[in-house]
Amino acid sequence: NRKAASVADLCITPQELQSRLGEFEQYCPVSLAEKGELVDCSVTSSLQFAAEFRGHYYKMASQEELNKFLNAPELYVPPLAPHPLPSPDMLPKKLTMAEVKALFPKKAEMQGYCPVTYLDGKQRYEALVPGTIEYAVEYRDKLYIFESEEKLQKFMRLPEKYCNQKLPHKLPPIKEPVLLTALPLTGYLEQGIATALIKAMNEVGCLKPKFPFLSVKKTALLFVAHHLKAYNLKSSEYVRKKYKRKLEQFIDHCDLIPYLGTKMTRKYKEPQNRPIDFDHKLRMFLSLKDVDPTSG
C-alpha cells in the first residue's frame, strides 16, 4: 500500500495539478467524507494542505484535514470514501451580480429570503431576512440569494441542507426603500450625515478654533463645513485631499491667535529678540483681516 505524501514544498505547476487531480477535483475529500461538506479549495492556489496519493493530487481544507488524509488516505478516496463528489451540474456555483442579472427573468427561490438565515434561525418568523443579489448561488438550476458572504459560504458547503425549505403562509411586509431626499430635514440629516456630523462637531468642540477677525460661531460653522467635505466618503479622493489641505490651513490660521497671544509682550522687542517665526506669523495674522476663508 502506497502512503500519501504532502506536496506543499514541491514545485507543481497549475497545469500539472489540474491534469493529476483525483476524483474530488479541488474539493476537500476529508470534509466530504466526515461532514458531508463541499469545501471548494480552488479559492486558493496554495498547495499548503495538498497531498499526493496513488498518483493523484488532493487538496484539503486545513492542516487538520491534511493530517487525517496523510494518516489514512484510503478512507477518503474510492472505494472506501462514503460520499462521491456530485457531478459538475449538481455542484453549487457562486454567481457575480452580472451573472444574476443575466438570468432574468428567473426569480430567486424562497421569494428572495436567505435560506441559511431562515433554517439556522429555526425557521422562525423573525429569521425571514431578505437576501441580496450581491451574494447569489445557482444550485440544481435554481437561484438562491443570501444575507451575507458568510451565509453564502454555509450554503456552498451544505446546499442540500438548506435548499428544500417551505416558507410560512405569513410573510413580513415588503419594505419599500425610502429615498433620503423624501425625508424631512431632521430625518435626512439623521440618516444621511449623522455620523460625519458628530465627528466634525466633536472635533470642533475639542479644538475650539477661532479664525482671525471672525466670530467664534462663524469659525465653528466653517470648520464643520471643511471637515464634512474633507471626510465625505462619497467624494473622490482628489476632492477629499483638497479639503483636507484646506482644513489643515484653516486650523493653522486659527492657531495664530493663541500663538501670538502667548508670544507677544507688552513692551516692544527688537526683531532679533523675538521668536524666530514671530514676525512671519504676525504678518500672516494681519493679512487675514479682509480675507474670505471660504474663497479659493
Side-chain angles (χ1 to χ4, degrees):
N1 246 0
R2 283 186 61 191
K3 288 188 173 180
S6 169
V7 296
D9 299 321
L10 302 183
C11 294
I12 297 169
T13 64
Q15 293 78 10
E16 186 189 347
L17 174 74
Q18 197 63 40
S19 68
R20 290 178 59 189
L21 280 173
E23 305 82 351
F24 297 98
E25 298 291 329
Q26 296 204 42
Y27 285 85
C28 173
V30 180
S31 299
L32 187 58
E34 296 195 339
K35 304 179 216 167
E37 290 188 1
L38 293 163
V39 181
D40 185 1
C41 302
S42 68
V43 292
T44 171
S45 59
S46 167
L47 297 179
Q48 185 182 355
F49 307 125
E52 185 270 342
F53 181 59
R54 293 177 184 163
H56 292 296
Y57 294 134
Y58 299 89
K59 287 179 80 171
M60 266 55 73
S62 72
Q63 189 66 48
E64 183 185 345
E65 282 80 13
L66 176 62
N67 292 342
K68 286 181 178 180
F69 187 88
L70 293 174
N71 289 336
E74 61 282 347
L75 296 179
Y76 303 108
V77 301
L80 298 181
H83 310 296
L85 183 70
S87 58
D89 60 319
M90 299 294 277
L91 289 169
K93 181 196 171 196
K94 186 176 176 180
L95 301 176
T96 63
M97 288 175 73
E99 287 171 329
V100 175
K101 288 173 181 173
L103 291 174
F104 182 83
K106 181 183 277 193
K107 291 186 177 178
E109 296 298 303
M110 293 185 61
Q111 293 187 33
Y113 289 104
C114 175
V116 177
T117 305
Y118 186 49
L119 187 62
D120 288 357
K122 299 185 169 58
Q123 297 186 322
R124 294 192 305 265
Y125 179 81
E126 310 84 72
L128 286 165
V129 177
T132 162
I133 63 166
E134 193 180 341
Y135 309 112
V137 167
E138 189 173 31
Y139 180 60
R140 296 195 170 196
D141 206 32
K142 291 179 178 177
L143 176 65
Y144 298 87
I145 59 175
F146 305 89
E147 181 188 2
S148 65
E149 178 67 25
E150 180 195 351
K151 303 292 171 73
L152 179 149
Q153 289 301 333
K154 271 193 163 186
F155 185 92
M156 293 287 285
R157 286 172 177 244
L158 291 164
E160 280 300 301
K161 176 180 176 181
Y162 295 107
C163 71
N164 292 314
Q165 298 182 73
K166 292 231 173 0
L167 287 173
H169 293 298
K170 185 185 176 189
L171 295 173
I174 295 169
K175 291 179 183 174
E176 291 292 338
V178 178
L179 290 173
L180 277 179
T181 49
L183 293 170
L185 181 59
T186 49
Y188 172 80
L189 291 171
E190 183 186 334
Q191 295 298 318
I193 60 166
T195 305
L197 201 52
I198 288 166
K199 283 181 180 175
M201 291 175 74
N202 181 57
E203 202 156 324
V204 80
C206 292
L207 284 174
K208 297 183 175 60
K210 167 76 170 72
F211 195 90
F213 308 103
L214 288 185
S215 68
V216 172
K217 180 181 177 182
K218 188 161 186 183
T219 300
L221 288 171
L222 285 170
F223 182 95
V224 168
H226 279 92
H227 196 283
L228 290 173
K229 284 181 175 287
Y231 294 96
N232 180 5
L233 296 176
K234 291 190 176 178
S235 292
S236 67
E237 191 176 351
Y238 168 79
V239 170
R240 289 202 302 274
K241 280 184 176 175
K242 174 185 169 185
Y243 279 98
K244 277 180 185 173
R245 285 195 298 272
K246 283 193 169 197
L247 180 62
E248 285 164 10
Q249 186 185 50
F250 188 83
I251 293 169
D252 287 344
H253 288 161
C254 291
D255 287 342
L256 291 170
I257 295 175
Y259 172 84
L260 293 171
T262 55
K263 301 294 181 188
M264 192 174 282
T265 56
R266 295 179 73 176
K267 289 184 179 178
Y268 175 78
K269 274 188 179 182
E270 292 296 331
Q272 64 269 23
N273 296 328
R274 298 170 194 166
I276 196 163
D277 56 349
F278 180 85
D279 287 5
H280 167 70
K281 290 197 172 180
L282 181 59
R283 281 195 298 272
M284 187 186 289
F285 174 81
L286 294 170
S287 73
L288 293 170
K289 186 170 184 182
D290 299 313
V291 169
D292 178 4
T294 62
S295 65

